[in-house]
Amino acid sequence: MKLQCTIPNNSKSYEIEVRNGLLKDLASYSTTLSSRFAIVTHDSLSASYAEPLHNSLKALGNESFIFTFPSGEIHKNREIKESLENQLFEKGLGRDSCVIAIGGGVVTDLSGYLAATFCRGVPLVMVPTSLLAMVDASIGGKNGVNIPYGKNLIGTIYQPHKVVIDPNVLKTLPTADLINGVVEMIKHGLITDHDYFEYLEKNSEKLLKLNPEFLEKSIYDSCRIKKEIVEQDEKENGKRRLLNFGHTIGHALERLSNYLLYHGEAVAIGILVESYMSTLMGILDSVSFERIKKIIMDYKVPLRLQEKFTPDAILEAMRTDKKALKGLPRFVMIEKIGSCLDYNFSYCTQVDEQIVKTALQWMNDDLCRH
Ligand code: GLY
């Protein structure tokens, strides 16, 4: 199943392909872009995915090199990027090379930034191996590294030449990693697509059991929703902010937990608290709110926090959120399943502090285990 992502005023239009078993076609597709390849991956993924690709590329008469770095968000940094750049030059790679990124969000973010700046930009193929990277990180061109001042603060928006998604690779993924992706898929339904949300509602068992047909279709639909948003607002000046639903609070919780909380768990709590704010404001009806709570439970997302973070501490952590205006956080507001308020095309709004505090208190007292 194929999607085409076409961004106005960007000469690059690229394919997102989702198919069980697709990885075996990767080498022959890649040779349409270059004959010199830098495969970037984690040490732990090299034997399963990078080496077979490398061998196929060589067998087809290409030059290919594998570059690895350790897994973990802590390694998505400037030093690793610089070291990879030097290694590519040492192998004689240059403007005519193609970067193939194989891994989760850490690999796709760092490799995207590498490809965007290496010799001022070389072709990039994204091969996401985590569910989160399949439905989110590999699509839409955002890339970057973390610096001591915060996450993803240095980077570019650089669209890939192709996104190659083979759901079969998820068979070896730990459940906690699966949940990171599931929560973004639920979010995609909530912000723009009621039918997709309903499809996810009805099929939680299939996803948790990694049913291949269900994975292929649901990943395809999530990619479709994300790419349609990116096509309308590549630079995140408006509609792309919808993808931040649940993330204003989610990111604050991640930070306060020193990143011990999984991204998906933090965003799931964020989705519920931000939805609760909508109900407190009379925007979202309580039946829809209960459906949102139920789907998060059905997908077995743990709703737990190491401790009760005070509403004041969370408010403080949200002041540096990218949607904040003059130090005050803004939130995406859901009005019904599949639709959010557009607030004159800004797609987010400030919320009375008392409402935010009431919702955060509910999170501590009623929603989360500690
Ligand atoms: N992950 C959110 C975005 O790509 O805009």
Side-chain angles (χ1 to χ4, degrees):
M1 293 197 280
K2 293 181 186 178
L3 295 157
Q4 195 68 29
C5 184
T6 306
I7 295 164
N9 305 322
N10 184 328
S11 53
K12 208 189 286 167
S13 166
Y14 61 98
E15 203 170 76
I16 302 163
E17 187 165 2
V18 186
R19 180 158 48 83
N20 290 317
L22 182 58
L23 275 193
K24 66 179 178 340
D25 298 342
L26 181 55
S28 56
Y29 162 73
S30 301
T31 56
T32 62
L33 295 175
S34 177
S35 57
R36 311 182 75 208
F37 296 95
I39 304 172
V40 181
T41 191
H42 284 319
D43 309 301
S44 55
L45 297 173
S46 190
S48 320
Y49 304 118
E51 284 172 25
L53 173 66
H54 169 78
N55 293 336
S56 303
L57 287 169
K58 301 268 280 189
L60 290 168
N62 302 284
E63 257 185 279
S64 167
F65 303 94
I66 299 175
F67 303 92
T68 65
F69 67 100
S71 50
E73 195 71 32
I74 193 171
H75 296 112
K76 200 178 89 178
N77 61 39
R78 287 167 169 159
E79 292 73 29
I80 298 269
K81 178 179 179 259
E82 186 181 318
S83 154
L84 288 170
E85 286 161 351
N86 292 340
Q87 291 176 55
L88 262 66
F89 283 122
E90 276 155 23
K91 294 290 182 199
L93 294 171
R95 182 81 193 86
D96 57 351
S97 321
C98 170
V99 170
I100 304 180
I102 307 183
V106 169
V107 169
T108 56
D109 280 7
L110 194 137
S111 309
Y113 187 27
L114 173 73
T117 54
F118 188 73
C119 297
R120 298 207 179 95
V122 294
L124 167 68
V125 180
M126 292 293 205
V127 188
T129 58
S130 71
L131 187 56
L132 180 62
M134 289 177 184
V135 298
D136 188 16
S138 66
I139 297 166
K142 280 190 187 172
N143 60 49
V145 292
N146 304 324
I147 58 169
Y149 301 95
K151 276 182 82 175
N152 299 325
L153 289 185
I154 302 285
T156 72
I157 294 185
Y158 182 73
Q159 301 299 336
H161 282 67
K162 173 139 178 167
V163 183
V164 172
I165 300 177
D166 183 344
N168 278 349
V169 306
L170 297 174
K171 283 181 192 150
T172 52
L173 201 70
T175 313
D177 283 347
L178 203 65
I179 283 175
N180 285 333
V182 162
V183 173
E184 299 294 340
M185 293 163 85
I186 293 170
K187 179 199 73 182
H188 286 150
L190 285 171
I191 57 177
T192 64
D193 194 329
H194 176 270
D195 291 350
Y196 178 56
F197 180 87
E198 206 167 66
Y199 178 68
L200 292 177
E201 252 180 343
K202 288 183 181 145
N203 290 290
S204 57
E205 284 296 316
K206 285 192 182 157
L207 189 133
L208 294 171
K209 288 192 176 134
L210 297 179
N211 174 294
E213 287 75 38
F214 174 77
L215 276 177
E216 206 177 65
K217 172 156 174 41
S218 57
I219 292 170
Y220 172 88
D221 277 326
S222 256
C223 292
R224 171 185 56 75
I225 292 167
K226 172 140 191 196
K227 79 102 195 172
E228 282 171 2
I229 290 175
V230 171
E231 283 174 336
Q232 293 170 65
D233 176 25
E234 184 191 25
K235 307 280 186 225
E236 199 172 317
N237 294 319
K239 197 158 195 179
R240 192 164 179 168
R241 291 189 183 130
L242 291 180
L243 295 166
N244 281 293
F245 179 51
H247 285 62
T248 318
I249 284 170
H251 279 152
L253 294 174
E254 265 187 294
R255 252 178 77 187
L256 289 172
S257 77
N258 286 323
Y259 298 95
L260 288 175
L261 199 56
Y262 276 99
H263 179 71
E265 295 181 32
V267 171
I269 297 170
I271 285 174
L272 288 169
V273 177
E274 293 178 23
S275 301
Y276 189 64
M277 280 163 36
S278 265
T279 57
L280 289 175
M281 291 163 75
I283 298 170
L284 180 74
D285 66 87
S286 57
V287 175
S288 303
F289 176 69
E290 289 305 322
R291 275 176 79 187
I292 302 174
K293 240 164 91 180
K294 183 168 184 312
I295 194 168
I296 299 276
M297 306 285 184
D298 287 350
Y299 277 90
K300 307 201 185 321
V301 183
L303 297 173
R304 61 176 171 218
L305 288 172
Q306 288 88 342
E307 55 186 281
K308 294 189 181 191
F309 300 116
T310 65
D312 282 333
I314 298 169
L315 275 164
E316 187 55 39
M318 289 191 297
R319 285 190 208 292
T320 49
D321 181 77
K322 61 185 168 180
K323 297 178 297 310
L325 203 60
K326 297 187 181 141
L328 291 175
R330 291 189 295 172
F331 300 87
V332 174
M333 298 304 285
I334 186 164
E335 62 164 340
K336 55 184 182 213
I337 288 171
S339 148
C340 296
L341 294 177
D342 78 8
Y343 294 103
N344 210 15
F345 304 107
S346 67
Y347 293 93
C348 61
T349 187
Q350 282 170 357
V351 172
D352 180 77
E353 193 170 291
Q354 203 44 56
I355 301 242
V356 181
K357 284 186 169 174
T358 305
L360 291 171
Q361 206 57 54
W362 168 79
M363 170 188 85
N364 274 331
D365 295 345
D366 296 329
L367 181 69
C368 292
R369 285 183 290 115
H370 299 276

